[in-house]
Amino acid sequence: MRHARRRIVRRVARLAAVGGLLVGGTMVTRAVASEPPDAPAASRTLALPASGTGSALVARLGASRTAGHWIGPDGRPVVAVTDDEAAGEVRRAGAAAEVVPHSMAELKSATSALRSAPRVAGTAWALDYRSNEVVVRGDSTVPAAEWARLTRVAEGIGGFVRMERIEGAFTTRLNGGRPILSTAGRCSAGFNVTDGRGDFLLTAGHCGPTGSVWFGDDGGGRQLGRTVANSFPGDDFSLVAYTNGGAGNGSDVVAVGGGKGVRITGTGEAAVGQRVFRSGSTSGLRDGRVTALDATVNYPEGTVSGLIQTDVCAEPGDSGGPMFSEGIALGVTSGGSGDCAKGGTTFFQPVTEALTSLGMRLIVSSPDGSGRRAAPAPPASGTAAPGAAAPGAPAPVSGTGGSTLVSRLTDRRNVGPGLLVIAGSLIALTATRWLRTERDRKAYRRYYSATWG
């Protein structure tokens, strides 16, 4: 009876070991086929291909027959058109069409009239493609008399100009991944760029004038560089030349907090409805949607036009921080209203415009993700450059501690757990085989002693 029980135990142990080998092999296979560990789940959207389709249709049909495009809730491109014939062309191209009364030419004419009116600090306007309106907003600092005067200007333009009062104030976010400091205050690092001879940091223009000296840590003990080009107001970008001429390791990565980063693979244009992410030294990584394009904001310091409007929150100190989607650089933080406790509106300087004006190219990940390279000229469709690394691939941020060996081995999204299961199963299988061999050896010795003793 005792021998029978032992045989059952050995057979169960062998079956368990074989099962462990199968399970471990499956775990390793699935881990290799899946995303790398710590990949930010928020970095995947379907907006970029849809944006390219929408922008191509708008370019083909023209400003008099279209009024913008956006990403629908189902991820499909939607194009606003002014006639049924144009709607038919859009639908045949695989996009949704929405017939609207006012063309892009009319909307642009309205914004030109608003810019021609006397400037009112604390106001902003943008093209709302989905409502086919120009939306004018006034913050709490705008006097009633000034708001009434601007309202009369809007009424003279037409009924498609909508006036809104908001709480808070439109301010530049002076004070992203990483904090950068100067005598003007604290801002956030944007994207690393190059002219082929040296490396530079792209950040917000309102952060400091040409000649501003920047430091890279809160103690102010490490000089980062000096501002060599600036455009503010009008635009909102500036260029900081690194003191040592190079951006260093990880220059193709933007920090998102917790020692993690996202690899940048190219530049592109934002699309209304697109999900985007912003990183800043005050409020960290935040996400939201693009709500309007070609926005104009009348900050107290001056007027900035051509901005991307979003519902992503931001706070003082986030200025200059990067905005991206699927690893595609879209903008740097300019300013806005509200905060990350109750939400608000944030505006971004488009990266493509800044790079073109400065004659710079973005530093991006190499095709295999092993290093950096200079991106080609920015594509208009918002897609990554050909041969780029996987969009939004996770990466460690240089200068921060990585995960320990134990944490990597035990991460269920890594190959470590599968390898541990395989190793344990092999040990168990070897042990059962050794025990059986040892039992047979002892039995033979007993038999030999009994027959020859």
Side-chain angles (χ1 to χ4, degrees):
M1 181 64 69
R2 182 183 303 172
H3 295 301
R5 285 199 300 269
R6 288 176 179 174
R7 283 197 298 272
I8 293 172
V9 170
R10 285 195 296 271
R11 287 174 182 172
V12 171
R14 283 197 297 272
L15 289 173
V18 172
L21 289 173
L22 294 174
V23 171
T26 302
M27 293 172 66
V28 170
T29 302
R30 293 181 65 179
V32 170
S34 65
E35 289 188 13
D38 297 325
S43 67
R44 291 286 185 260
T45 74
L46 299 175
L48 297 180
S51 171
T53 301
S55 61
L57 287 167
V58 166
R60 191 172 78 208
L61 294 171
S64 62
R65 302 181 68 194
T66 63
H69 65 95
W70 61 92
I71 309 300
D74 58 354
R76 291 180 61 205
V78 182
V79 181
V81 295
T82 57
D83 59 78
D84 293 334
E85 184 180 348
E89 290 188 47
V90 168
R91 294 186 183 106
R92 284 191 294 273
E98 185 169 318
V99 180
V100 296
H102 306 289
S103 68
M104 178 62 72
E106 292 179 85
L107 299 179
K108 292 281 190 179
S109 177
T111 59
S112 295
L114 290 168
R115 279 194 295 269
S116 300
R119 178 179 178 275
V120 180
T123 60
W125 54 79
L127 307 181
D128 189 334
Y129 297 159
R130 286 172 287 199
S131 67
N132 195 227
E133 295 174 316
V134 176
V135 181
V136 182
R137 293 183 173 90
D139 67 22
S140 58
T141 67
V142 179
E146 295 285 347
W147 183 249
R149 180 174 58 79
L150 191 60
T151 300
R152 288 193 294 272
V153 172
E155 291 172 348
I157 296 172
F160 58 94
V161 179
R162 174 159 48 95
M163 307 293 288
E164 290 184 357
R165 293 301 297 255
I166 66 167
E167 297 180 356
F170 290 124
T171 62
T172 53
R173 294 316 199 180
L174 181 63
N175 213 22
R178 297 293 188 84
I180 53 176
L181 308 163
S182 77
T183 54
R186 176 169 63 88
C187 277
S188 297
F191 298 101
N192 285 306
V193 300
T194 182
D195 62 358
R197 298 182 299 274
D199 295 344
F200 302 82
L201 175 66
L202 181 67
T203 188
H206 69 264
C207 287
T210 300
S212 300
V213 178
W214 292 95
F215 298 87
D217 55 63
D218 290 335
R222 177 173 60 86
Q223 183 170 322
L224 183 70
R226 184 184 299 268
T227 300
V228 295
N230 175 280
S231 182
F232 178 81
D235 299 304
D236 196 359
F237 58 82
S238 63
L239 197 64
V240 177
Y242 283 104
T243 299
N244 60 3
N249 295 330
S251 56
D252 57 334
V253 174
V254 294
V256 296
K260 300 181 180 66
V262 171
R263 295 192 187 281
I264 299 301
T265 61
T267 60
E269 303 287 347
V272 173
Q274 180 180 9
R275 190 182 185 191
V276 293
F277 302 85
R278 174 202 60 75
S279 183
S281 61
T282 299
S283 56
L285 181 67
R286 304 285 175 164
D287 72 297
R289 300 277 178 181
V290 175
T291 56
L293 300 176
D294 198 20
T296 296
V297 186
N298 293 299
Y299 295 125
E301 301 91 337
T303 301
V304 181
S305 299
L307 299 176
I308 304 167
Q309 179 180 299
T310 73
D311 59 10
V312 186
C313 71
E315 296 182 355
D318 289 331
S319 280
M323 181 181 74
F324 52 92
S325 179
E326 293 194 21
I328 303 299
L330 299 174
V332 292
T333 307
S334 173
S337 63
D339 54 39
C340 289
K342 58 184 179 182
T345 298
T346 303
F347 301 95
F348 296 86
Q349 165 69 50
V351 163
T352 51
E353 179 188 355
L355 293 176
T356 301
S357 177
L358 295 167
M360 293 284 161
R361 290 184 296 166
L362 193 70
I363 295 176
V364 298
S365 294
S366 60
D368 59 1
S370 61
R372 50 162 272 180
R373 66 188 180 98
S381 63
T383 56
V397 178
S398 59
T400 60
S403 59
T404 65
L405 177 61
V406 173
S407 65
R408 291 197 300 271
L409 287 177
T410 56
D411 191 334
R412 63 180 176 82
R413 296 165 293 180
N414 210 333
V415 299
L419 292 177
L420 290 175
V421 172
I422 291 174
S425 301
L426 287 174
I427 292 172
L429 196 61
T430 303
T432 56
R433 182 66 180 173
W434 180 84
L435 290 173
R436 180 177 180 180
T437 302
E438 188 66 20
R439 180 184 62 80
D440 292 343
R441 184 181 295 111
K442 289 180 179 179
Y444 176 78
R445 286 176 180 174
R446 287 195 299 270
Y447 174 78
Y448 184 87
S449 301
T451 56
W452 292 88

